[in-house]
Amino acid sequence: MPTRDFYTLSEAAQILEVSQRRLLERLETGEIEGERDPQSGRWKIPKHAADERVSADPSPEGATEESQGQSAEMLRELVGEFGDLHRHVGHLRSRLDRARRTEREEREQLLAELMQEREGHRQERERANRLHEEASRLREELERAKGSWRRLFGAQD
């Protein structure tokens, strides 16, 4: 597997112990060498540029104030990102609740319509049964009436 000669933005930020936002600022001002991939738009930071920065950084004793400032900056950024995520989650929950309410209302409406249709079919079935019974009764009356007319006019069966 070939090794890359560059770091991604997140990798370089971790190596340099700075936030990605701060690293982006440094890349855009040219303070740190890097180039944007024309296809993806992502930054590529040459390994040598990041490694030089790490080796050029002052000793840990002298860097405590700077690292505390960077830590505070990173914390502020994280708190801001957390707030954004929290708002986004709230927005998504609200949309989900609306969708569930809408789905429940539509389901109730469809069930009510189904019940109305069933009741309409039941009434039509009852009407059809009554008409069938009436037709049968009328046929029987007609057959009886035919018999009376036959007897009256002397027809033979």
Side-chain angles (χ1 to χ4, degrees):
M1 185 166 142
T3 58
R4 299 181 317 198
D5 58 346
F6 65 90
Y7 292 121
T8 64
L9 183 70
S10 61
E11 292 169 338
Q14 193 173 17
I15 290 168
L16 296 171
E17 296 178 346
V18 296
S19 68
Q20 289 184 27
R21 187 175 292 165
R22 179 68 181 126
L23 180 55
L24 274 173
E25 290 170 1
R26 288 180 171 179
L27 286 165
E28 289 169 353
T29 61
E31 187 179 334
I32 295 179
E33 181 185 343
E35 66 180 54
R36 267 206 155 140
D37 185 312
Q39 291 178 330
S40 68
R42 294 184 177 158
W43 281 95
K44 293 180 179 181
I45 297 92
K47 284 187 175 184
H48 68 85
D51 295 342
E52 286 172 8
R53 283 278 183 193
V54 170
S55 61
D57 278 350
S59 67
E61 296 85 29
T64 55
E65 266 186 46
E66 184 180 333
S67 66
Q68 285 177 351
Q70 289 173 350
S71 295
E73 178 185 344
M74 286 177 71
L75 273 175
R76 280 190 297 277
E77 289 175 7
L78 288 172
V79 167
E81 288 178 28
F82 179 75
D84 292 343
L85 287 173
H86 186 69
R87 280 187 294 281
H88 188 66
V89 166
H91 176 70
L92 291 174
R93 281 186 179 154
S94 174
R95 286 179 58 191
L96 178 61
D97 288 344
R98 279 194 309 268
R100 285 179 175 161
R101 252 191 324 274
T102 301
E103 180 186 8
R104 185 177 56 245
E105 290 167 359
E106 288 176 357
R107 187 180 318 114
E108 289 170 359
Q109 182 180 359
L110 287 172
L111 285 173
E113 290 174 8
L114 178 63
M115 295 304 288
Q116 286 177 342
E117 288 292 318
R118 284 183 176 167
E119 180 60 22
H121 287 288
R122 186 190 63 74
Q123 290 173 356
E124 284 297 314
R125 197 170 30 249
E126 287 177 1
R127 182 174 169 262
N129 288 340
R130 283 192 308 271
L131 290 173
H132 183 68
E133 289 170 6
E134 180 70 16
S136 295
R137 187 184 60 75
L138 290 172
R139 251 189 239 103
E140 288 173 10
E141 275 183 35
L142 181 61
E143 287 299 319
R144 278 194 303 264
K146 274 184 12 190
S148 325
W149 286 103
R150 283 188 184 147
R151 282 191 299 274
L152 183 64
F153 291 110
Q156 295 179 344
D157 291 328

